[in-house]
Amino acid sequence: MENLKNRIAEVINELYAIDGAIVEFADVPADIPGDYSTNAAMRIAKQAGKAPRQIAEEIVERLRRDSDEFVFSIAGPGFINVEISGANLQKRLAEAWSEDYGCNKSGEGKVAVVEFPSTNMAKPYSVGHLRPGTQGWATKQILEANGWKVITDNHLGDTGTPFGIWTLGFLRSGKSLDEVTIYDLGEIYIQMKKALKDEAAENKHELADEVQEWLKKLEAKDAEAVKYAETFKKISLDHTHEVMRRMGLSTDYELGESFFAEPGKELVQKYLAEGVFEQNDDGSVICRLDEYGIDVPILVLKSNGTALYATTDLACMDYRAREWHPNKVIYCVGAEQKFYFEQLFALGKKVGIPQENYHLWFGTIDQIGEDGKREKMSSRKGVVLLEAMLNDAEARVRANFASTGANDLSDDDIAKIATGAIKFSDFVADRKTGILYDPEKIFALTGCSGPFCQYADVRLRRILEKNADFARVDFADYDWASEKEILRLLLKFPDLVAMVGANLEAHRIAGYCFEMAQALNRYYEKTPILQANDMERSARLWLVEKADFVLSHALGLLGIEIPEKM
Ligand code: ARG
C-alpha cells in the first residue's frame, strides 16, 4: 500500500500542483465495497478549489490508467475506496508460493535450545506438565519455520532425594520389584513425604536418616541401591516416554538435573574461589544479584555441601554454552518459577554465560470447582494425571462422534482429535493467562476449538479426494471474486510465521487457524466446487490445495495433526 500512497500524492501534485499531500489509508467497514479507504481528496479540496467528489473522480481516473492491480470506487462526500481484486490477490499468492510457503530463513545460522517438558521423575506425569510440553513443542516448530536450528532438551527432575524416598518406601510397602508400577511409585512417594513430614513435626528423624542412608549407598554405587534406583528410573522414564508419545512430543536430549549435580558443585567452588560467590557461616553458598536489581541472593549450595536446583541449573547453562553455542535458550516452565528464573538468568550474566536466556512462562490449567469457583485443576485424589486426561479426552471424542452417527473413526484419528483439542485449548488465549479446562468447549465441533479447525481441513482434503480424477483446465480468466477472503488470509501466513517467530506468541497461530476455518466454512456454503464449470472448478481446487497446505501447516506448528476422517 505504500506504493499506492506515494502514487496518489504524485497524482495530486500533477493535477493540482500540491506538493507533499498527506495520504493515509484506513480499513473499510465490512459492509462497504473496498478494502482500504482514503480521505485525501477531501483534505486538499480547499486548496484545489474543487468539490472533493470531483477531485476523487479525477484522481481515480488517473490511477485506473496505471494498472488493474486495484479496483477504485468513490463513496460519500469524496472517499476513495481501494479494493485489491481477487485476481490480483491470486496472482500475488501464485508468485509467492513455494514448497515451504510460510517459512523464512531469518534465523539461519542461529541456534536455539528449547527446554521442555522437564517432568519430575518421582511423580507420574501430571497435567502440571501439560503446558510446558505443548508450548515447548510449538516454540520449537515456530523457530524451525523461521530458519533456526533448534535443539530440544528434557531437563528431567531426577535428582537424588526422591530415589532415597522411593527405595525406603518401596521396602516398607512389601511390593516386589518386578511388579511395581509408576502409580505405586507415585503413591509410595506421597505416603513417604507425609510420613517424613509427620516425623519432622514430632522432632524425630529416623526415617529421614534412613532415606539419607540409601542416598549415600547410591552415591557409593552400592549394588542393591543402584538396582533399585535403576529400576525406578526405568519405570518412570518408560511412563514419561509413553505419555510424551501420546502427546506427540520428543526431545533430542534428556539431560536431567542429576547429570549436572557434580559439575555444578565444581563450578560453585570455582566461583567461590574467584570471589564471585559468597559462603555463609553455615557453609551454604550464595550469589548476590544486587547489581541486577534483585535484592534476594540466590542459594547455589546447601549448607551440607549438596547441590540444589540452582546448582544444577548453573552447570546446565554452562554446559549448553560450551556444547551447543546457542544464541538463545528457552525454558518452557510455568509462571510460578518466574522469580527463580530472574535470579538464575542474572546469575548467568554475572558468571558470563553468553547466550540469551528466556523464560517462556504461562499460567495454570484451571477448572470450575464444586463450589462453582475457578481453581487450579485437581481431582479428588489430588493431581490429575496427563494419562487420565488423555483417556478422558478420547472417550469424549468417541462419544461426540457416536452421537452424530459416526462410529467408524480409527483409534489413531480419535487420538489425533483428542490431543488436537487439548493442545489447541492451550493456545486460545495469550499463554500468560491461565486456561480454563472446559471440556464442553474444548472438544466441541463448533466454536474456537481444535476439532473445528481440524474438521475444516479434513473437508478440504475430502474435496481434493473427490476431485482427484478431474482434469484441471486453464483458469487464467477466472475472477477470484468469491475467494478474496481466503486469498487474503493465505497471503498473511508468511508474515504471521515471521511475527510469532519474533515474539513467540503462538496463540496468534491458533487465532489464525480459527479465522481460516470460519472463512472456509463460509466459502463452502456459497461456492460450489464439484458442480461448477471446468474453469471455476479448476481454480477453486487450486485454492483448496493451497488452503489445505497452509491450514495443516499452521496447525502443525502447534503440534496438531489432521485426522484421516472425522
Ligand atoms: N522439573 C522442573 C519442575 O517441574 C522444571 C525444570 C525447569 N528447567 C530448569 N532448567 N530449571 O518444576
Side-chain angles (χ1 to χ4, degrees):
M1 297 306 287
E2 273 319 295
N3 288 348
L4 185 63
K5 278 188 197 170
N6 296 340
R7 177 65 190 139
I8 293 176
E10 214 174 86
V11 169
I12 289 174
N13 198 11
E14 279 164 29
L15 291 173
Y16 315 107
I18 297 172
D19 196 17
I22 294 167
V23 183
E24 268 157 9
F25 281 114
D27 283 344
V28 167
D31 49 336
I32 294 174
D35 302 312
Y36 310 98
S37 176
T38 177
N39 61 1
M42 287 130 89
R43 284 185 182 226
I44 58 157
K46 231 189 183 150
Q47 227 180 321
K50 280 189 179 174
R53 228 188 133 90
Q54 192 190 343
I55 297 173
E57 270 158 20
E58 287 169 0
I59 295 174
V60 163
E61 205 257 325
R62 279 284 173 100
L63 294 173
R64 283 193 181 123
R65 286 190 226 153
D66 290 350
S67 80
D68 58 4
E69 194 179 353
F70 302 105
V71 178
F72 298 99
S73 56
I74 294 156
F79 287 104
I80 299 173
N81 290 354
V82 186
E83 196 181 332
I84 305 181
S85 71
N88 199 263
L89 292 173
Q90 190 272 341
K91 204 170 100 197
R92 289 188 193 189
L93 182 63
E95 276 166 15
W97 197 261
S98 68
E99 259 180 14
D100 58 354
Y101 180 72
C103 296
N104 66 72
K105 298 197 173 1
S106 61
E108 223 167 43
K110 287 196 262 186
V111 176
V113 175
V114 182
E115 187 204 275
F116 66 89
S118 308
T119 47
N120 298 319
M121 295 191 88
K123 305 166 194 167
Y125 204 141
S126 82
V127 297
H129 283 90
L130 171 62
R131 300 200 81 181
T134 325
Q135 295 282 340
W137 187 260
T139 304
K140 160 195 152 69
Q141 299 282 104
I142 289 168
L143 289 175
E144 282 175 348
N146 283 281
W148 287 69
K149 175 179 169 180
V150 178
I151 297 171
T152 50
D153 187 16
N154 187 358
H155 192 78
L156 290 168
D158 59 356
T159 32
T161 316
F163 287 91
I165 294 178
W166 268 346
T167 309
L168 186 61
F170 167 75
L171 291 171
R172 286 162 52 110
S173 77
K175 290 203 161 32
S176 100
L177 203 52
D178 305 332
E179 288 168 4
V180 72
T181 66
I182 183 69
Y183 309 104
D184 297 331
L185 291 176
E187 200 49 47
I188 284 171
Y189 189 78
I190 292 168
Q191 280 172 10
M192 278 296 295
K193 285 289 256 193
K194 188 175 173 302
L196 286 163
K197 203 172 153 194
D198 293 348
E199 178 190 74
E202 288 176 35
N203 267 326
K204 293 193 190 142
H205 46 78
E206 218 173 294
L207 285 177
D209 290 348
E210 272 189 78
V211 167
Q212 291 308 316
E213 276 308 305
W214 278 109
L215 274 179
K216 268 192 212 146
K217 282 193 193 174
L218 186 59
E219 271 181 34
K221 307 256 185 296
D222 168 88
E224 197 188 1
V226 169
K227 183 181 76 188
Y228 289 132
E230 290 302 313
T231 308
F232 300 151
K233 199 164 176 166
K234 176 162 183 338
I235 292 171
S236 182
L237 258 186
D238 284 350
H239 167 76
T240 303
H241 289 157
E242 172 56 11
V243 177
M244 285 175 72
R245 184 195 62 75
R246 286 182 73 180
M247 286 301 292
L249 306 175
S250 60
T251 59
D252 303 323
Y253 294 89
E254 267 176 345
L255 301 177
E257 290 172 26
S258 66
F259 182 79
F260 297 109
E262 283 311 312
K265 285 195 272 186
E266 281 166 28
L267 282 176
V268 168
Q269 293 313 323
K270 174 179 167 227
Y271 292 123
L272 198 53
E274 288 175 10
V276 183
F277 293 174
E278 285 168 45
Q279 189 143 32
N280 291 323
D281 293 340
D282 65 358
S284 60
V285 179
I286 56 162
C287 172
R288 292 195 189 278
L289 304 167
D290 301 79
E291 63 266 51
Y292 301 96
I294 301 173
D295 54 13
V296 187
I298 184 168
L299 184 66
V300 288
L301 197 70
K302 286 199 249 179
S303 58
N304 66 1
T306 57
L308 77 168
Y309 200 38
T311 325
T312 55
D313 264 329
L314 167 63
C316 180
M317 287 192 290
D318 173 70
Y319 178 90
R320 287 170 176 166
R322 283 184 291 108
E323 293 292 319
W324 300 326
H325 311 287
N327 300 77
K328 199 170 181 155
V329 177
I330 300 172
Y331 296 74
C332 305
V333 188
E336 318 86 71
Q337 295 191 33
K338 255 169 98 171
F339 182 61
Y340 169 71
F341 282 112
E342 276 170 33
Q343 286 184 307
L344 182 71
F345 298 165
L347 165 69
K349 283 192 185 134
K350 187 150 170 162
V351 301
I353 296 291
Q355 66 260 18
E356 178 200 344
N357 285 309
Y358 184 80
H359 179 197
L360 188 117
W361 56 274
F362 26 80
T364 50
I365 301 181
D366 303 336
Q367 63 186 14
I368 299 294
E370 272 164 18
D371 58 358
K373 288 201 189 105
R374 191 168 164 150
E375 60 183 28
K376 193 167 163 176
M377 192 170 196
S378 66
S379 74
R380 244 172 256 268
K381 284 198 209 140
V383 295
V384 177
L385 300 189
L386 191 45
E387 214 173 32
M389 184 193 259
L390 286 170
N391 293 343
D392 174 64
E394 290 180 4
R396 281 178 192 276
V397 169
R398 221 177 276 279
N400 280 355
F401 280 94
S403 73
T404 66
N407 288 310
D408 54 347
L409 292 188
S410 70
D411 289 349
D412 198 37
D413 281 352
I414 296 272
K416 281 182 185 163
I417 301 166
T419 51
I422 292 176
K423 289 182 187 182
F424 193 88
S425 74
D426 205 318
F427 299 105
V428 287
D430 185 315
R431 65 181 150 77
K432 293 176 180 169
T433 57
I435 47 178
L436 183 63
Y437 192 78
D438 178 355
E440 293 299 320
K441 285 197 182 132
I442 291 174
F443 300 103
L445 268 169
T446 52
C448 190
S449 75
F452 177 72
C453 297
Q454 284 171 316
Y455 186 58
D457 199 53
V458 169
R459 272 180 94 174
L460 293 171
R461 291 186 177 181
R462 202 175 300 151
I463 294 170
L464 292 170
E465 266 165 38
K466 278 192 190 151
N467 285 281
D469 297 329
F470 169 71
R472 314 262 183 114
V473 300
D474 177 25
F475 49 79
D477 291 334
Y478 185 60
D479 70 1
W480 301 96
S482 335
E483 286 73 19
K484 276 188 67 174
E485 189 183 14
I486 294 169
L487 285 166
R488 286 233 255 158
L489 278 167
L490 293 175
L491 279 162
K492 242 166 85 175
F493 187 53
D495 286 343
L496 175 77
V497 173
M499 178 180 81
V500 296
N503 63 19
L504 299 180
E505 291 184 343
H507 69 282
R508 298 197 182 274
I509 294 178
Y512 174 83
C513 292
F514 181 50
E515 250 186 272
M516 177 70 93
Q518 284 176 304
L520 286 167
N521 279 355
R522 283 192 286 272
Y523 182 65
Y524 303 133
E525 258 168 42
K526 52 178 206 277
T527 325
I529 296 181
L530 221 62
Q531 263 76 41
N533 70 40
D534 283 2
M535 180 182 73
E536 288 169 350
R537 187 165 161 192
S538 300
R540 289 169 189 171
L541 288 173
W542 183 89
L543 183 85
V544 167
E545 270 166 9
K546 305 298 177 267
D548 168 40
F549 181 96
V550 168
L551 182 55
S552 60
H553 275 77
L555 287 168
L557 290 175
L558 305 178
I560 299 172
E561 292 177 272
I562 310 300
E564 295 282 324
K565 204 170 164 180
M566 66 190 285

